[in-house]
Amino acid sequence: MAEPLPRHLLIPFAGRGSPACRAALATLRLPNLETLLLRLTLADTDTQDDSTRSPPHERALARALGLPAADDGCIPWAALEARQTGLAAPGDHEAWGLVTLCNWQVSIDDVALGDPSAIEIDADESTALLAVAQPFFEEDGIALYPSGTPGRWLARAPIFDGLATASIDRAVGDPISKWSPLGDASRPLRRLQNEMQMLLYTQRVNDERTARGVPPINSFWLSGTGALTQDVALAGPAPEVSDALRIASLRDDGAGWAAAWQALDAGAIASLLSDYTRGADVALTLCGDRAAQRYTVQQRGLARWAKSLFDRTRAASVLEAL
């Protein structure tokens, strides 16, 4: 029988401090996670506060992928994607950014960033808007390219080098003023956002979207900025990232978040536990608003095994600390 392959499962939004999700913690029954936490050992904890531009799950994923350490808000996700898709050559150290089309929700008091995953943009709409936007970006020295995801473009420009930007997962639902880049270097981007708001307002794509009853696309969000200055060296198996909790978490849908956790426990967590039982080298990273904790397989002596029988880790307490 072939030896089981190593696995690393990374779960964003495993813990959430928003009111409804926090209240739902008390209802969670996660038997497979309970068992897995009992059998694995806490190997690493990364704790910041929830004001960081790069959330814990992005920092944890960057470490697992072997990305070089970066300042907060400067994990070069766009440069990595450009390298992986062939837009950038292995020796290319230019700076890139991710441009994500979105809906800015305007209220009397402020403007909030809506979740881009809710705008339901298709490939044709994305292509049409890219053609319209490219000349405006080029005036500021920014080259735009399509990515494999409708509504998200890759952008290359020197301005992105060292420019700290907030992850969409941090900014969704908050006033854009809280997370927008500051400083002289970002002024052209703020002006470009304003220009794009006026431009997108006039587009036929948005007329058709309004007729369909879906939110208009009225701006963009910049993230994933920076340059990839060295080769990426995996620190272990590439993590499987589960987005099962993301939507309910960002909406603070406590019941939905709890239901998604139950399904995750019965699915991916149960599968990881099964692999562990068959002798695989497994790892589990749980991420919340402030912290990421990585659990791995380690040898246990008899005394430690006996202690574990009386020192069972409760999943809810682990998730509450994230």
Side-chain angles (χ1 to χ4, degrees), residues 179-261:
W179 296 106
S180 292
L182 301 175
D184 292 343
S186 62
R187 285 179 183 171
L189 295 171
R190 293 199 295 272
R191 177 181 49 75
L192 186 56
Q193 280 181 320
N194 292 332
E195 290 176 348
M196 288 299 295
Q197 279 185 284
M198 292 184 287
L199 176 68
L200 292 170
Y201 180 77
T202 66
Q203 296 305 302
R204 181 177 177 181
V205 164
N206 271 327
D207 294 336
E208 294 171 348
R209 291 177 61 82
T210 300
R212 296 203 313 268
V214 294
I217 298 165
N218 56 15
S219 194
F220 68 89
W221 191 257
L222 178 68
S223 61
T225 43
L228 195 59
T229 57
Q230 63 189 65
D231 292 335
V232 174
L234 280 174
E240 307 162 32
V241 181
S242 171
D243 284 329
L245 306 173
R246 182 182 185 275
I247 292 178
S249 176
L250 292 177
R251 295 175 181 173
D252 195 25
D253 174 4
W257 183 73
W261 243 128

Side-chain angles (χ1 to χ4, degrees), residues 6-9 61 64-65 234 236-241:
R7 285 184 64 192
H8 180 186
L9 177 64
L61 181 59
L65 293 177
L234 280 174
E240 307 162 32
V241 181

Side-chain angles (χ1 to χ4, degrees), residues 9-291:
L9 177 64
L10 190 153
I11 304 178
F13 303 105
R16 185 67 164 161
S18 54
C21 291
R22 173 71 71 174
L25 266 175
T27 71
L28 290 181
R29 299 294 179 266
L30 307 173
N32 292 307
L33 180 61
E34 294 273 4
T35 302
L36 202 52
L37 290 174
L38 175 62
R39 297 181 181 181
L40 300 181
T41 300
L42 179 60
D44 180 65
T45 298
D46 167 27
T47 303
Q48 303 284 338
D49 60 41
D50 56 9
S51 67
T52 56
R53 297 179 182 90
S54 302
H57 57 271
E58 292 193 3
R59 300 196 302 267
L61 181 59
R63 284 194 300 275
L65 293 177
L67 285 172
D71 292 336
D72 182 41
C74 294
I75 301 175
W77 296 118
L80 177 63
E81 185 173 338
R83 178 86 57 92
Q84 292 172 334
T85 57
L87 281 174
D92 181 356
H93 300 317
E94 290 185 285
W96 293 74
L98 291 171
V99 173
T100 304
L101 296 177
C102 57
N103 172 254
W104 284 9
Q105 300 168 347
V106 181
S107 67
I108 296 175
D109 298 324
D110 215 324
V111 179
L113 176 65
D115 185 359
S117 65
I119 64 174
E120 302 177 21
I121 185 171
D122 61 32
D124 289 342
E125 290 175 326
S126 184
T127 299
L129 293 177
L130 176 62
V132 170
Q134 276 177 323
F136 288 83
F137 279 77
E138 287 171 357
E139 288 180 6
D140 286 304
I142 302 172
L144 283 183
Y145 305 87
S147 74
T149 302
R152 195 183 68 167
W153 307 327
L154 289 164
R156 188 187 72 236
I159 192 175
F160 301 141
D161 192 7
L163 179 68
T165 52
S167 166
I168 285 175
D169 286 347
R170 277 297 200 214
V172 164
D174 281 343
I176 60 170
S177 56
K178 178 178 177 180
W179 296 106
S180 292
L182 301 175
D184 292 343
S186 62
R187 285 179 183 171
L189 295 171
R190 293 199 295 272
R191 177 181 49 75
L192 186 56
Q193 280 181 320
N194 292 332
E195 290 176 348
M196 288 299 295
Q197 279 185 284
M198 292 184 287
L199 176 68
L200 292 170
Y201 180 77
T202 66
Q203 296 305 302
R204 181 177 177 181
V205 164
N206 271 327
D207 294 336
E208 294 171 348
R209 291 177 61 82
T210 300
R212 296 203 313 268
V214 294
I217 298 165
N218 56 15
S219 194
F220 68 89
W221 191 257
L222 178 68
S223 61
T225 43
L228 195 59
T229 57
Q230 63 189 65
D231 292 335
V232 174
L234 280 174
E240 307 162 32
V241 181
S242 171
D243 284 329
L245 306 173
R246 182 182 185 275
I247 292 178
S249 176
L250 292 177
R251 295 175 181 173
D252 195 25
D253 174 4
W257 183 73
W261 243 128
Q262 303 287 167
L264 192 57
D265 188 70
I269 295 288
S271 174
L272 195 68
L273 177 58
S274 176
D275 285 349
Y276 169 87
T277 304
R278 292 189 295 112
D281 182 13
V282 304
L284 173 68
T285 299
L286 301 172
C287 307
D289 297 333
R290 298 164 295 158

